[in-house]
Amino acid sequence: MNILVDGRIWSLYSAGVGTFFTGAIMEWAQQRADDTFYVIVPRGIDARYELSDMPANIKLLDYTGRFPKFLPNIILLQLTVPQLCRMLDVDLYYSPLPYMPLMIPSRVKTLVTVHDVVNIEMAHTMSWTNRMANAFAFGRSVRRAGYLWTNTEYTRSKVEEYYPRRRAEEIFVGGAVDRKLFYPRNLSDDAVSELKARHGIKDRFILFVGSLEPRKNLQFLLRIIPDLYLEHRIQLVVVGAKRWKESALSSVIEAPEFPRESTVFCGFLSNEELAALYSTADCFVSAALMEGFGMPQLEAMLCGCPVVTANNTAMAEVASGIDAAFPVDGYEPDVWKQTILRVINERPKVNPVQLMQYDWKLIVNRLLTVI
């Protein structure tokens, strides 16, 4: 089988969708060694994906420099995909984002992944360029795709709610984390001290991993961290959220009464460094308003780190019934502080058996029986 893949997410780093796509396509290519995967990368691969062990049956179609830089990637795909489907005798077109170019030959099967419905329920939190792209492509692609794949049951229910009329009657559900990257690191005392010193961490800390999108609700954590730091010397370590000085967070962090040393911004880190922080943190915390999956929660737990998370959307699904996950209803600051302190003091153990379903080997194997 020849499979043409929209790989534009590899050209523009995304810790969420990009990590999901990488884990899925790598395992898929390994399980189907006789198939050929032609992955379109409009502007080369971002080095942060660390793709040194790419299977030989993944062929990159790199369009770097062949189109004007100002040309949006979705237009580039529209110009190339129909022709490539014919030239490469493609059997299946896979897009890890809800965008299918027009004029794909009718004989070609189509598979689209939907990660969330942020563009519908929280469109005001997105950039205008993303809103335009979604307005143009999201609904049409979801309705036209021959096969649909969502990361969680929560996202599946939302797709069914908003798109009751669609070509794909059944929706495949499955999402995972790369277990080769995220597992407990048994660091020596010296290694832990060095890790903390490298990032300016003094002692106990809670970990946040995510962007500055308003729906991630980092501002709420910044409201409760001063008390946790001043009374218990617990710091907040933020991974992934860059350029906070140019965001609404600057007014909080730069306020005279905010204890600046209570919060550490690390920016983007390698997977190895992130896994080390997960393995060292006293707990992982997410107060997001909406998530389509909850990947950092899973990464944390697979590294042995307990989780305090908002009890909503897909996060409630991921945390439900898990010994080391503590969902919190609403956003009452005292409830969150008490829950965090209890988790840090008790340090509950992660039960790996409860996370067995989040495994790319199992998910891709199920996917292949469908398509």
Side-chain angles (χ1 to χ4, degrees), residues 316-325 327 351 354:
E317 179 179 331
V318 169
S320 177
I322 305 299
D323 293 344
N351 181 357
Q354 295 177 320

Side-chain angles (χ1 to χ4, degrees), residues 5-223:
V5 182
D6 171 1
R8 61 194 152 107
I9 198 67
W10 273 351
S11 289
L12 181 63
Y13 184 76
S14 167
V17 176
T19 301
F20 182 101
F21 169 65
T22 301
I25 204 69
M26 295 291 235
E27 179 61 33
W28 189 352
Q30 289 173 5
Q31 290 197 26
R32 296 286 293 184
D34 292 335
D35 293 345
T36 302
F37 297 77
Y38 297 98
V39 181
I40 302 171
V41 283
R43 312 186 198 285
I45 294 181
D46 190 301
R48 285 171 288 188
Y49 284 112
E50 305 172 28
L51 303 178
S52 57
D53 297 325
M54 188 177 295
N57 56 332
I58 293 181
K59 312 295 182 182
L60 299 181
L61 305 178
D62 191 344
Y63 283 84
T64 303
R66 295 173 60 180
F67 289 89
K69 290 184 178 180
F70 62 80
L71 189 72
N73 286 340
I74 60 173
I75 301 300
L76 184 150
L77 289 172
Q78 181 58 59
L79 295 173
T80 58
V81 167
Q83 180 184 12
L84 288 170
C85 284
R86 296 178 175 87
M87 187 171 64
L88 299 173
D89 194 22
V90 168
D91 300 289
L92 172 69
Y93 178 73
Y94 170 49
S95 176
L97 294 164
Y99 171 66
M100 284 203 320
L102 301 170
M103 297 182 291
I104 293 177
S106 58
R107 65 172 181 78
V108 176
K109 296 180 180 181
T110 53
L111 168 66
V112 167
T113 298
V114 182
H115 297 271
D116 54 51
V117 290
V118 172
N119 62 302
I120 298 174
E121 298 192 337
M122 299 192 71
H124 63 282
T125 69
M126 303 175 68
S127 67
W128 69 269
T129 52
N130 280 338
R131 289 201 300 270
M132 287 185 62
N134 277 285
F136 168 71
F138 189 96
R140 179 179 57 80
S141 299
V142 171
R143 285 188 288 265
R144 289 179 58 239
Y147 300 95
L148 286 173
W149 174 5
T150 64
N151 44 13
T152 57
E153 291 289 345
Y154 166 78
T155 305
R156 179 195 58 76
S157 69
K158 287 297 180 179
V159 171
E160 291 180 338
E161 175 184 346
Y162 289 114
Y163 300 99
R165 298 179 62 183
R166 59 187 187 275
R167 184 179 170 194
E169 295 183 4
E170 300 296 325
I171 300 176
F172 178 81
V173 179
V177 171
D178 192 337
R179 293 165 181 261
K180 297 176 184 176
L181 298 175
F182 296 101
Y183 58 88
R185 303 302 201 268
N186 296 316
L187 303 177
S188 66
D189 291 343
D190 288 343
V192 170
S193 297
E194 182 183 349
L195 175 69
K196 290 183 174 181
R198 188 159 60 247
H199 295 293
I201 304 169
K202 296 179 180 179
D203 192 9
R204 297 189 295 177
F205 69 98
I206 61 177
L207 185 63
F208 167 91
V209 178
S211 67
L212 292 180
E213 292 178 76
R215 68 183 177 90
K216 300 293 185 179
N217 208 15
L218 178 55
Q219 191 158 358
F220 175 78
L221 295 182
L222 294 175
R223 284 175 52 201

Side-chain angles (χ1 to χ4, degrees), residues 13-16 19 48 182 199 206-214 216 218 221 236-245 247 249 263-271 273-275 277-278 284-285 296 299:
Y13 184 76
S14 167
T19 301
R48 285 171 288 188
F182 296 101
H199 295 293
I206 61 177
L207 185 63
F208 167 91
V209 178
S211 67
L212 292 180
E213 292 178 76
K216 300 293 185 179
L218 178 55
L221 295 182
L236 170 64
V237 175
V238 178
V239 174
K242 307 189 300 181
R243 304 176 68 176
W244 62 265
K245 292 184 179 180
S247 72
L249 300 180
T263 305
V264 177
F265 284 85
C266 298
F268 288 112
L269 299 178
S270 68
N271 288 319
E273 190 84 347
L274 177 56
L277 281 177
Y278 278 136
F284 171 85
V285 180
E299 292 174 348

